[in-house]
Amino acid sequence: MGYIEPAPIKDKANPFESMMSRFNIATEALGLDEEVYNVLKSPSKQVSVSLPVTMDDGSIKVFEGHRVIHSNILGPSKGGVRYAMDVNIDEVKALAAWMTWKCAVVDIPYGGAKGGIRCNPREMSAGEIERLTRAYTQSMAGVFGPDRDIPAPDMGTGPREMAWLMDEYSRSMGTTVNAVVTGKPLVLGGSLGRVEATGRGVMVSALAAMEKLKINPYHATIAVQGFGNVGSYAALLMAERGCTIVSVSDISGAYYNENGIDIKKAIGYRNNNNGTLEGFDGAELMKDPNDLLTLDVDVLVPAAIEDVIHLGNVNDVKAKLIVEGANGPTSAEADAIINEKGIMVAPDILANAGGVTVSYFEWVQNRLGYKWTRERVNRRSDRIMKDAFDKVYQASLKYKVPMRIAAYIVAIDKVAETYKFRGGF
Ligand code: NAD
């Protein structure tokens, strides 16, 4: 398989630096006072634990786990739990802050958190992962809670791990508490519409931005990097609204068809082909998959990994609009050039917030003890995404800043104002 090489030139940024550089620009534009700035920039709680787990061969291995609550000013904190070998506390801190801003942009009553365990889930058996998940949940029993801190899936975790987490937490409470975690299997109280929620939010953001740029969806050409959960649903839903998806890519390469790719067919092919598009005959395989990013299209949707638009390729980007399905696909250094070129960006904390919005709906349904229809979930999340886009767009006009900074301004302003009302010690 022709695995994609990482983008050749990467700006030197870690997630914390890249988040803080945008945070600093936004707080300055907003004229935030120093005291509140200091409150918002530091996480409110961080917990690190050692997790001894008996492996299948009888040995005991100790894993390092973290949970960082960046803020609970708006409500209980929300954020995923990542299982990966490069999990470290600095990254978890940055991702937790990111969640605070994401929840605030879409105006849901949550603070931000993130968790992680340094491990390689691909080398572990299901039993080992289950014991690790239960050990982590026990250690975090005083941190998690439906009114305190609500985990969710992230890289390396999914509905299976969330089910174990819910079960372990419920055992320690002596009662079923399904609202302690979101991203659960449907039978355990998961929400209809959650699977496609992030891609759907990307579609809503893209259409809202196209309207501002006077791009007619029926004439629009779109390239989507990443054909997983976010990218494939975003592509499908945009195609259903008349857009022409000329290029999609995944780990096997980038595919191009100037007449438009049949996305339903591509998804069907991927589902029957070990999850990749390798060998897909509905489009041509491009020589260099990184060229997808610089195609002459109206809209570019990076929905795979971080830092793919960077100083080395940003000058060649031709799209009029970038809708960030992935988290952090644009390096902080590339922002300035994107702005100079007049490209509109629907930034990650806005464009991919459809997922956390429907996670919030899952929690609401669990607390109500009731299930919403898919139509209700979609209608409400579309409205939230559209309102958030409009608010960010208005802020970009008011403060004369690009959409990314405007999104941070909307978020920071909301958290800062709430903090001022609530007060501190
Ligand atoms: P996924 O694992 O379902 O899909 C990732 C896709 O990207 C796969 O098709 C993979 O082959 C492809 N890919 C990986 N490396 C690539 C490369 N170098 N070039 C091109 N394609 C590549 O993941 P996902 O859930 O779709 O998440 C994608 C991004 O969206 C991540 O940044 C994630 O953090 C972000 N995100 C996801 C959600 C969600 O609800 N799933 C919510 C918010 C943000």
Side-chain angles (χ1 to χ4, degrees):
M1 189 190 295
Y3 284 103
I4 296 181
E5 293 289 324
I9 302 174
K10 266 198 169 188
D11 306 335
K12 281 194 211 77
N14 65 39
F16 190 69
E17 284 166 0
S18 95
M19 189 274 298
M20 280 310 289
S21 75
R22 277 91 177 229
F23 176 73
N24 288 339
I25 299 171
T27 51
E28 205 162 295
L30 199 53
L32 194 71
D33 60 58
E34 198 181 335
E35 287 159 357
V36 180
Y37 172 90
N38 286 334
V39 172
L40 300 190
K41 83 168 200 237
S42 333
S44 71
K45 184 189 272 189
Q46 52 191 83
V47 180
S48 294
V49 290
S50 294
L51 305 166
V53 172
T54 305
M55 307 305 279
D56 290 346
D57 65 3
S59 65
I60 293 175
K61 204 167 160 186
V62 182
F63 294 87
E64 166 194 322
H66 306 281
R67 184 75 180 166
V68 173
I69 294 176
H70 171 259
S71 167
N72 49 18
I73 291 170
L74 296 184
S77 50
K78 186 91 192 80
V81 178
R82 179 172 288 197
Y83 288 3
M85 279 312 286
D86 56 0
V87 162
N88 65 77
I89 190 74
D90 280 340
E91 187 185 59
V92 178
K93 270 159 70 175
L95 297 171
W98 227 324
M99 285 304 298
T100 301
W101 312 132
K102 200 181 280 194
C103 293
V105 168
V106 285
D107 204 13
I108 56 179
Y110 281 151
K114 202 82 185 187
I117 302 177
R118 189 197 284 262
C119 65
N120 184 350
R122 266 166 299 180
E123 284 179 0
M124 295 168 73
S125 70
E128 289 169 344
I129 298 175
E130 176 174 355
R131 292 192 286 282
L132 178 62
T133 305
R134 289 187 185 276
Y136 179 68
T137 308
Q138 279 294 341
S139 293
M140 295 294 174
V143 178
F144 296 156
D147 293 309
R148 281 195 301 260
D149 177 41
I150 307 143
D154 195 75
M155 273 163 54
T157 59
R160 182 183 70 163
E161 286 73 18
M162 299 307 110
W164 288 328
L165 199 155
M166 184 214 107
D167 182 69
E168 191 61 32
Y169 183 84
S170 297
R171 281 168 199 258
S172 63
M173 294 294 135
T175 183
T176 297
V177 190
N178 54 10
V180 70
V181 61
T182 63
K184 298 178 292 290
L186 271 179
V187 286
L188 289 188
S191 179
L192 289 167
R194 174 63 187 91
V195 175
E196 62 271 37
T198 306
R200 192 174 174 91
V202 169
M203 174 274 291
V204 172
S205 306
L207 290 190
M210 282 155 73
E211 195 183 322
K212 300 293 178 202
L213 294 172
K214 303 201 170 21
I215 300 174
N216 180 343
Y218 287 94
H219 298 154
T221 53
I222 301 190
V224 181
Q225 184 190 46
F227 206 64
N229 175 274
V230 180
S232 64
Y233 277 111
L236 180 69
L237 294 168
M238 287 190 287
E240 282 176 1
R241 278 148 190 84
C243 305
T244 305
I245 316 298
V246 292
S247 186
V248 297
S249 72
D250 69 2
I251 197 76
S252 72
Y255 303 82
Y256 181 81
N257 181 340
E258 66 172 341
N259 299 318
I261 296 171
D262 181 340
I263 299 297
K264 238 187 200 155
K265 188 174 149 196
I267 291 176
Y269 182 87
R270 177 204 64 187
N271 292 346
N272 294 319
N273 191 45
N274 283 328
T276 86
L277 289 168
E278 191 179 21
F280 178 59
D281 64 4
E284 248 174 65
L285 181 67
M286 292 167 71
K287 265 202 202 98
D288 182 350
N290 292 316
D291 287 349
L292 175 145
L293 299 164
T294 54
L295 283 172
D296 191 3
V297 288
D298 295 305
V299 185
L300 174 63
V301 180
I305 52 171
E306 71 279 9
D307 282 341
V308 293
I309 302 170
H310 48 72
L311 284 182
N313 62 7
V314 62
N315 278 306
D316 300 324
V317 172
K318 297 174 195 68
K320 302 177 189 78
L321 168 66
I322 298 173
V323 185
E324 296 185 334
N327 285 319
T330 308
S331 78
E333 288 82 355
D335 274 356
I337 297 169
I338 287 181
N339 300 337
E340 260 169 42
K341 287 168 69 104
I343 300 171
M344 184 191 267
V345 176
D348 45 12
I349 58 170
L350 167 67
N352 72 32
V356 73
T357 300
V358 176
S359 288
Y360 163 61
F361 292 165
E362 178 176 335
W363 177 81
V364 170
Q365 292 170 74
N366 293 159
R367 294 170 67 104
L368 288 171
Y370 187 67
K371 251 188 174 326
W372 293 354
T373 60
R374 190 183 302 275
E375 290 66 33
R376 175 176 286 200
V377 169
N378 288 346
R379 198 173 57 242
R380 292 186 175 196
S381 68
D382 288 358
R383 193 179 62 215
I384 285 185
M385 291 304 295
K386 179 70 171 60
D387 287 352
F389 181 92
D390 288 342
K391 216 186 249 180
V392 170
Y393 186 75
Q394 289 310 322
S396 83
L397 298 180
K398 178 175 169 194
Y399 291 92
K400 298 186 174 47
V401 292
M403 288 285 284
R404 184 186 313 284
I405 299 303
Y408 276 85
I409 286 178
V410 167
I412 293 166
D413 194 31
K414 169 139 204 244
V415 181
E417 203 189 332
T418 311
Y419 178 75
K420 284 183 195 157
F421 274 111
R422 292 186 63 160
F425 291 102

